[in-house]
C-alpha cells in the first residue's frame, strides 16, 4: 500500500498575498520533505472562486514541485475539466509530466461549485456531459499524433470539413503554416496536441467520486476513482464496492488499478497528543461541511463521531491498523493523507509527517 | 539597464530532435545558471499544437524555475492572451507571482498562428480586440476588489480573486510588437511596455518606438510607464571568427528550420547560400548581434543612441546548442556586457 499527501481548499486565505507567500511556501516545503521521506504521491485539490480559497492554480503549484522534488508523484484532485477547453488540460498535464519526468497524475471531477461555473461562464447543468466529453477528448489528445474531434461542446480544429457547417476556406492551413505539418507527416486537416507526456499511454486519470454516477463514469472510461475527501469510511467502502462490481461488469481488469482514498490524518506519539493538536482544527473544517450539508444525512460534526467515521488521529500503530482495515474492506491500495488544515501549525505537520514516514510508510508497503 | 535572457520554447524540431523531458530538465538548469552569472530575468515562449512540441503553458515551467532560484525574474515572452481565458490567466499569473515572491514579468501578445486559433476554436480575426479586453479583465481581477466586467468577449459578475499578485498593482506588462504602426500606437495608448522583435531593422525599431512613445504620451500615460525593450539574437565569443562560427552552427539552423517550414524559402532550393540570399534571411542576419563582447557593446550603444531603452534581451539559446558553448556565451555576456551598462540609464 502506498502513502501520499493531500492539500485541498482548506488552504485558507484572507491574509492577502504576503500571507499566501507563507502558506504556499509551507505547503511546498512539506511536500519537498515528503519527497525525501519516501511518500509516493502529493495531490492538490483545485477549486475556483470559493471565498478564501487559494488553490485556483494547481498547475503552478505542481510545476514548482516538479522542479524541486525528485521522486514523489504530483497530481491535481477534482480539477473541473468542464471549465476550460480540454486541450488546455491535456497540454498542462503533459508539461507537468515532462517537467517531473513522468510523475504527473491528472485528478479530475465533474465539479460541484456553482460559483466556479458561473465565474467561467459554463452552464452548471451541463457539467457532467461536458466533463465526460473532456475526458474523451483528452484520451484522444494523449494517444493520437494528430486527430480531429467533433463533439457536442468541443470542435478540434474549429473548422474542418467533418465538423463544421461551413468548412474552412483557406485557414487554418494556409501558407506559411501548412508546410510545417506536412513535413512532420501529419494530415493538414488534423491537429496534434503537443508536447506528448512522458508516461505511456498517458498520465493516470483519477476521477473524483462523490456518488455512484461518478463511479459509473470512471468505469466507462476505465479510470481510477478518487473518493471525495469528506466522505466517511463507510461511504468510501460503498463506492469501491460499486466500482469493483462496475469494472467486473464492464469486463475491465482490476489488476494494477490504483484504489486511492483521501483521509484526514494526524500521527503523534500518543492518540491523546494527536487529538489535542488536530482534533479541533479538523472539527472546525467539518463543521463548515456539515453546515453546507456536504456530509450528507444531516450528519452532526461531533469530534467523537468524526473520528469514528472519518478522521485517522492516533499513534503510528493506530494509524496503521485503521488503514489495514480500509484495505481489507475496500481494497484500498493508496492512502493519501491530509496532514494540514488551518489551525495545525507547520512545525506540527512536519512532526506528523516524519513520524508517519518513520513508522507507518514501510509497514503499509509490506 | 536590465538584461533578460530568452527565449526558451522547449522545442524538438525535425533538424535537431531532442527528448522533451530532457529539454524541460535543461531549461531549469539553464535558468539556475543564468541567475548565478547575473542575468536579471529568464524568459520562455509559448505556442500551441505545433509539431515540435513548442511549450503550450509557460507558467508551470516558470514555477519550477522560481522554486529553484531566489533572485532572477521569470518572464512570459510572450503569453498568448488572444488564446486564453483571461480569468484563468488572472488566477494563474497571480499565483505564480505569489509563488515566486513577486518575480513575475509579463510579456503578452495576441498570438498569430492560424492553427492555434483553430485548435481552440477562436476566431483569429478577433485577436486584437480580445487581447486588450483580456488585459483589462486581468487588471480588474488583480485589484483584489469585487469586480464585474461586460465586454465584447468576456462577462463576469461580482467576482473577487484571491490571491492577487504580490507585485502591486500587478507585475510589469510588456507587449511583443509586430512591425505595424497600428500596433505600436495601440501599445502606447494602453500604456504598456513596448518590446520589439528580433528581426526588425534599426530604422524600423526607431520608427515604431517613436510612434509608441508619442501615442503613450498623447494618451496621458506617465513617463515611468513608457518603456522600450530590445530583443536580439546574440552569438558572442572571444573572437569574431568564433562568433561567426556559432552563428553558422546554431543560429542559422534555427531560422533555416523555421523559414523553410513556414514556406518563405522553398525546401528544394534550400542550400545555405540560397537561403542567405533570401530577403527574410538577410534581414535576420543583419539584425543579429554577432561578435566579441566589445562588438556587442558597441551595437547595443548604437541602438540606444537612436532609441532610449532600458531592457535588452539577448537570445543566446538557438537550436542544436551544446551546453558548454551556451554556458560560455552566457558567461561572456554576463562578465563583459552587463557590467558595462550597469548603472547606465
Amino acid at each position: 500500500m502506498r502513502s501520499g499527501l493531500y492539500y485541498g481548499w482548506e488552504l485558507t486565505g484572507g491574509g492577502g498575498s504576503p500571507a499566501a507567500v507563507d502558506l504556499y511556501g509551507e505547503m511546498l516545503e512539506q511536500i519537498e520533505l515528503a519527497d525525501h521521506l519516501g511518500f509516493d504521491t502529493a495531490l492538490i485539490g483545485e477549486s475556483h472562486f470559493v471565498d478564501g480559497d487559494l488553490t485556483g492554480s494547481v498547475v503552478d503549484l505542481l510545476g514548482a514541485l516538479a522542479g524541486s522534488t525528485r521522486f514523489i508523484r504530483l497530481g491535481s484532485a477534482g480539477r473541473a475539466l468542464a471549465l476550460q477547453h480540454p486541450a488546455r488540460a491535456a497540454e498542462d498535464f503533459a508539461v507537468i509530466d515532462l517537467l517531473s519526468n513522468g510523475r504527473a497524475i491528472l485528478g479530475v471531477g465533474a465539479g460541484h461549485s456553482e460559483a466556479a461555473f458561473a465565474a467561467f461562464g459554463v452552464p452548471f447543468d451541463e457539467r457532467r456531459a461536458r466533463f465526460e466529453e473532456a475526458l474523451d477528448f483528452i484520451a484522444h489528445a494523449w494517444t493520437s499524433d494528430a486527430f480531429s474531434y467533433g463533439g457536442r461542446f468541443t470542435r478540434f480544429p474549429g473548422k474542418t470539413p467533418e465538423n463544421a457547417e461551413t468548412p474552412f476556406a483557406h485557414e487554418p492551413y494556409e501558407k506559411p503554416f501548412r508546410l510545417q505539418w506536412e513535413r512532420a507527416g501529419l494530415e493538414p486537416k488534423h491537429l496534434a496536441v503537443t508536447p506528448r507526456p512522458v508516461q505511456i499511454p498517458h498520465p493516470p486519470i483519477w476521477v473524483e467520486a462523490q456518488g455512484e454516477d461518478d463511479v459509473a463514469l470512471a468505469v466507462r472510461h476505465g479510470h481510477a476513482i478518487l473518493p471525495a475527501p469528506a466522505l466517511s469510511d463507510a461511504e468510501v467502502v460503498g463506492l469501491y464496492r460499486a466500482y469493483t462490481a462496475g469494472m467486473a461488469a464492464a469486463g475491465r481488469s482490476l489488476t494494477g488499478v490504483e484504489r486511492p482514498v483521501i483521509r484526514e490524518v494526524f500521527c503523534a506519539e500518543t492518540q491523546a497528543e494527536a487529538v489535542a493538536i488536530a482534533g479541533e482544527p479538523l472539527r472546525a473544517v467539518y463543521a463548515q461541511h456539515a453546515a453546507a450539508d456536504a456530509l450528507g444525512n444531516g450528519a452532526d460534526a461531533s469530534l467523537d463521531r468524526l473520528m469514528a467515521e472519518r478522521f485517522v488521529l492516533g499513534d503510528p500503530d493506530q494509524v496503521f491498523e485503521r488503514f489495514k482495515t480500509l484495505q481489507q474492506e475496500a481494497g484500498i491500495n493508496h492512502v493519501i493523507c491530509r496532514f494540514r488544515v488551518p489551525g495545525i501549525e507547520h512545525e506540527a505537520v512536519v512532526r506528523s509527517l516524519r513520524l508517519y514516514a518513520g513508522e507507518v510508510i514501510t509497514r503499509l508497503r509490506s | 539597464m536590465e538584461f533578460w535572457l530568452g527565449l526558451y520554447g522547449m522545442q524538438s524540431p525535425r533538424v535537431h530532435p531532442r527528448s522533451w523531458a530532457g529539454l524541460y530538465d535543461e531549461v531549469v538548469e539553464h535558468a539556475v545558471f543564468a541567475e548565478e552569472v547575473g542575468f536579471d530575468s529568464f524568459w520562455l515562449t509559448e505556442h500551441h499544437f505545433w509539431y515540435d512540441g513548442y511549450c503550450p503553458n509557460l507558467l508551470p515551467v516558470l514555477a519550477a524555475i522560481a522554486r529553484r532560484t531566489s533572485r532572477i525574474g521569470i518572464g512570459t515572452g510572450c503569453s498568448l492572451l488572444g488564446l486564453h481565458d483571461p480569468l484563468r490567466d488572472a488566477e494563474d499569473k497571480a499565483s505564480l507571482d505569489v509563488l515566486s515572491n513577486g518575480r513575475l514579468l509579463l510579456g503578452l501578445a495576441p498570438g498569430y498562428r492560424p492553427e492555434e486559433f483553430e485548435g481552440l476554436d477562436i476566431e483569429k480575426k478577433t485577436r486584437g480586440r480580445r487581447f486588450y479586453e483580456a488585459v483589462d479583465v486581468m487588471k480588474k481581477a488583480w485589484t483584489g476588489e469585487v469586480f464585474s466586467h461586460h465586454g465584447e468577449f468576456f462577462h463576469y459578475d461580482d467576482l473577487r480573486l484571491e490571491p492577487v499578485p504580490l507585485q502591486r498593482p500587478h507585475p510589469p506588462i510588456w507587449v511583443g510588437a509586430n512591425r505595424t504602426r497600428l500596433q505600436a500606437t495601440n501599445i502606447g495608448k494602453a500604456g504598456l511596455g513596448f518590446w520589439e522583435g528580433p528581426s526588425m531593422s534599426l530604422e524600423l525599431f526607431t520608427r515604431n518606438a517613436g510612434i509608441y512613445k508619442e501615442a503613450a504620451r498623447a494618451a496621458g500615460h506617465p513617463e515611468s510607464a513608457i518603456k522600450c525593450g530590445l530583443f536580439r539574437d546574440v552569438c558572442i565569443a572571444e573572437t569574431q571568427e568564433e562568433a561567426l562560427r556559432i552563428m553558422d552552427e546554431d543560429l542559422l539552423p534555427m531560422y533555416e528550420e523555421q523559414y523553410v517550414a513556414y514556406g518563405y524559402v522553398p525546401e528544394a532550393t534550400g542550400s545555405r547560400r540560397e537561403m542567405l540570399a533570401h530577403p527574410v534571411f538577410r534581414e535576420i542576419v543583419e539584425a543579429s548581434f554577432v561578435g566579441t563582447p566589445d562588438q556587442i557593446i558597441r551595437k547595443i550603444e548604437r541602438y540606444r543612441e537612436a532609441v532610449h531603452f532600458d531592457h535588452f534581451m539577448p537570445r543566446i539559446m538557438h537550436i542544436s546548442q551544446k551546453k558548454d558553448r551556451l554556458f560560455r556565451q552566457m558567461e561572456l555576456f554576463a562578465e563583459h556586457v552587463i557590467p558595462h551598462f550597469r548603472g547606465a540609464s
Side-chain angles (χ1 to χ4, degrees):
Chain A
M1 187 142 62
R2 296 179 178 193
S3 295
L5 307 183
Y6 174 74
Y7 292 79
W9 58 260
E10 283 80 3
L11 196 70
T12 311
S17 296
V21 171
D22 293 337
L23 277 168
Y24 282 168
E26 287 177 4
M27 175 175 65
L28 297 177
E29 273 180 40
Q30 288 163 19
I31 295 172
E32 286 156 5
L33 174 66
D35 181 45
H36 283 287
L37 294 175
F39 282 85
D40 297 285
T41 308
L43 300 184
I44 305 175
E46 177 168 320
S47 62
H48 302 271
F49 296 99
V50 174
D51 211 22
D53 152 35
L54 296 178
T55 54
S57 188
V58 167
V59 168
D60 285 355
L61 295 164
L62 297 177
L65 289 161
S68 62
T69 59
R70 290 186 65 198
F71 304 113
I72 197 164
R73 296 162 77 203
L74 301 167
S76 60
R79 181 183 181 90
L81 292 180
L83 296 178
Q84 64 176 172
H85 194 294
R88 296 307 307 270
E91 291 177 332
D92 287 357
F93 280 76
V95 168
I96 300 295
D97 205 44
L98 289 163
L99 266 175
S100 65
N101 200 15
R103 294 185 278 136
I105 296 168
L106 175 56
V108 296
H112 36 76
S113 160
E114 286 193 52
F117 279 76
F120 287 97
V122 179
F124 187 65
D125 57 5
E126 290 176 1
R127 67 190 185 283
R128 290 201 157 271
R130 285 175 178 271
F131 174 49
E132 190 145 15
E133 184 171 305
L135 278 177
D136 187 49
F137 179 92
I138 290 168
H140 269 83
W142 275 345
T143 54
S144 315
D145 284 333
F147 66 105
S148 58
Y149 190 94
R152 191 175 147 206
F153 308 104
T154 309
R155 304 180 305 175
F156 182 87
K159 299 189 281 290
T160 67
E162 291 90 344
N163 66 17
E165 289 163 23
T166 317
F168 65 91
H170 56 283
E171 282 189 339
Y173 308 116
E174 65 193 8
K175 255 187 151 185
F177 298 94
R178 183 182 184 118
L179 279 168
Q180 183 94 355
W181 293 91
E182 292 177 347
R183 289 176 74 211
L186 302 176
E187 284 262 349
K189 67 179 175 182
H190 299 313
L191 284 178
V193 174
T194 65
R196 297 288 290 275
V198 173
Q199 294 178 80
I200 293 171
H202 57 70
I205 295 173
W206 292 2
V207 176
E208 184 177 82
Q210 291 273 0
E212 299 208 356
D213 281 1
D214 300 312
V215 170
L217 190 151
V219 167
R220 279 200 292 283
H221 291 266
H223 298 317
I225 58 167
L226 180 65
L231 297 177
S232 68
D233 287 7
E235 287 167 320
V236 169
V237 171
L239 286 184
Y240 270 111
R241 289 208 175 113
Y243 183 70
T244 306
M247 290 287 272
R252 292 187 188 273
S253 167
L254 279 169
T255 308
V257 172
E258 290 195 78
R259 298 163 72 99
V261 64
I262 294 172
R263 295 290 79 184
E264 314 290 352
V265 177
F266 202 89
C267 191
E269 294 296 343
T270 64
Q271 188 175 44
E273 190 191 340
V275 172
I277 295 170
E280 180 49 31
L282 278 168
R283 195 203 57 75
V285 166
Y286 276 70
Q288 284 177 26
H289 283 309
D293 202 25
L295 301 185
N297 308 324
D300 68 73
S302 76
L303 184 57
D304 283 346
R305 187 164 162 196
L306 286 165
M307 282 180 61
E309 294 177 351
R310 292 175 168 83
F311 300 169
V312 184
L313 309 181
D315 65 31
D317 284 342
Q318 290 168 315
V319 171
F320 172 76
E321 290 303 333
R322 184 76 172 269
F323 288 152
K324 283 307 269 191
T325 305
L326 266 176
Q327 185 181 33
Q328 281 154 13
E329 290 181 5
I332 300 303
N333 58 19
H334 201 144
V335 288
I336 297 175
C337 312
R338 173 153 56 189
F339 290 104
R340 189 217 168 266
V341 294
I344 306 181
E345 296 299 319
H346 176 63
E347 291 69 23
V349 172
V350 166
R351 282 201 305 277
S352 176
L353 268 177
R354 286 187 182 281
L355 190 61
Y356 184 100
E359 305 282 333
V360 184
I361 283 184
T362 316
R363 284 170 72 191
L364 284 175
R365 267 189 200 143
S366 52
Chain B
M1 179 111 148
E2 282 192 21
F3 291 90
W4 304 347
L5 188 69
L7 282 169
Y8 285 69
M10 285 70 81
Q11 299 130 273
S12 171
R14 189 183 68 158
V15 293
H16 188 66
R18 297 285 316 278
S19 135
W20 280 318
L23 291 164
Y24 280 83
D25 191 51
E26 275 176 19
V27 69
V28 178
E29 186 191 352
H30 290 197
V32 169
F33 188 72
E35 173 171 275
E36 260 173 52
V37 298
F39 282 93
D40 296 293
S41 54
F42 190 89
W43 295 68
L44 309 179
T45 168
E46 163 186 342
H47 279 298
H48 297 263
F49 315 131
W50 219 244
Y51 89 94
D52 62 8
Y54 213 118
C55 183
N57 189 348
L58 311 181
L59 306 183
V61 189
L62 292 174
I65 289 169
R67 196 64 189 159
R68 293 269 294 274
T69 56
S70 56
R71 176 193 61 78
I72 196 165
I74 49 173
T76 60
C78 287
S79 177
L80 304 180
L81 279 199
L83 299 163
H84 296 178
D85 179 338
L87 193 64
R88 193 174 277 268
D89 261 31
E91 283 186 304
D92 289 348
K93 287 170 174 151
S95 288
L96 181 55
D97 197 49
V98 170
L99 263 177
S100 65
N101 214 352
R103 289 190 277 150
L104 181 61
L105 300 162
L106 292 175
L108 307 176
Y112 62 92
R113 296 184 175 181
E115 277 89 345
E116 309 185 297
F117 289 89
E118 278 302 319
L120 294 166
D121 206 2
I122 293 168
E123 282 288 335
K124 184 186 159 196
K125 64 180 178 222
T126 63
R127 68 191 190 281
R129 301 200 308 279
R130 264 180 188 275
F131 175 80
Y132 286 104
E133 191 178 329
V135 172
D136 192 31
V137 169
M138 293 197 302
K139 285 182 167 179
K140 285 179 184 170
W142 288 337
T143 62
E145 306 296 325
V146 175
F147 77 97
S148 296
H149 171 95
H150 291 280
E152 184 183 354
F153 303 102
F154 307 111
H155 298 271
Y156 307 107
D157 282 302
D158 302 327
L159 296 177
R160 194 177 70 83
L161 183 70
E162 189 174 9
V164 293
L166 191 63
Q167 298 177 80
R168 304 307 299 152
H170 53 74
I173 296 177
W174 294 80
V175 181
N178 62 20
R179 292 155 185 266
T180 63
R181 292 168 184 272
L182 177 66
Q183 205 191 15
T185 307
N186 286 341
I187 299 169
K189 270 190 200 161
L192 307 171
F194 177 82
W195 179 20
E196 194 267 351
S199 65
M200 261 177 257
S201 65
L202 176 57
E203 291 68 31
L204 201 57
F205 178 43
T206 309
R207 185 199 80 175
N208 286 350
I211 293 168
Y212 157 75
K213 287 181 181 177
E214 199 178 307
R217 287 186 187 118
H221 294 293
E223 284 302 309
S224 60
I226 303 173
K227 48 193 183 174
C228 291
L230 181 66
F231 166 29
R232 294 283 115 162
D233 285 301
V234 168
C235 301
I236 184 171
E238 268 105 350
T239 64
Q240 191 180 16
E241 190 187 11
E242 173 67 6
L244 286 168
R245 198 161 67 88
I246 294 171
M247 177 173 78
D248 208 41
E249 292 177 8
D250 296 344
L251 175 62
L252 293 183
M254 180 180 80
Y255 282 102
E256 208 170 315
E257 153 77 8
Q258 291 186 5
Y259 287 171
V260 173
Y262 295 178
Y264 291 147
V265 182
E267 189 167 22
T269 62
S271 78
R272 177 66 59 79
R273 174 186 295 228
E274 275 166 299
M275 279 192 300
L276 286 176
H278 193 282
V280 243
F281 235 95
R282 276 219 309 276
E283 192 176 47
I284 200 75
V285 170
E286 281 162 19
S288 300
F289 287 13
V290 178
T292 64
D294 280 346
Q295 288 172 315
I296 305 278
I297 288 168
R298 283 203 296 279
K299 281 213 165 186
I300 296 172
E301 284 177 333
R302 192 158 74 85
Y303 274 68
R304 282 188 104 208
E305 281 160 18
V307 177
H308 180 81
F309 58 90
D310 285 328
H311 300 82
F312 180 69
M313 177 187 285
R315 174 162 62 184
I316 297 176
M317 172 69 183
H318 299 116
I319 216 167
S320 73
Q321 241 135 345
K322 293 177 190 70
K323 178 180 152 186
D324 53 350
R325 178 185 277 180
L326 186 72
F327 277 27
R328 183 66 195 135
Q329 289 190 82
M330 283 161 64
E331 275 174 343
L332 277 175
F333 194 96
E335 272 172 31
H336 301 287
V337 182
I338 294 178
H340 180 87
F341 291 97
R342 280 291 188 226
S345 63

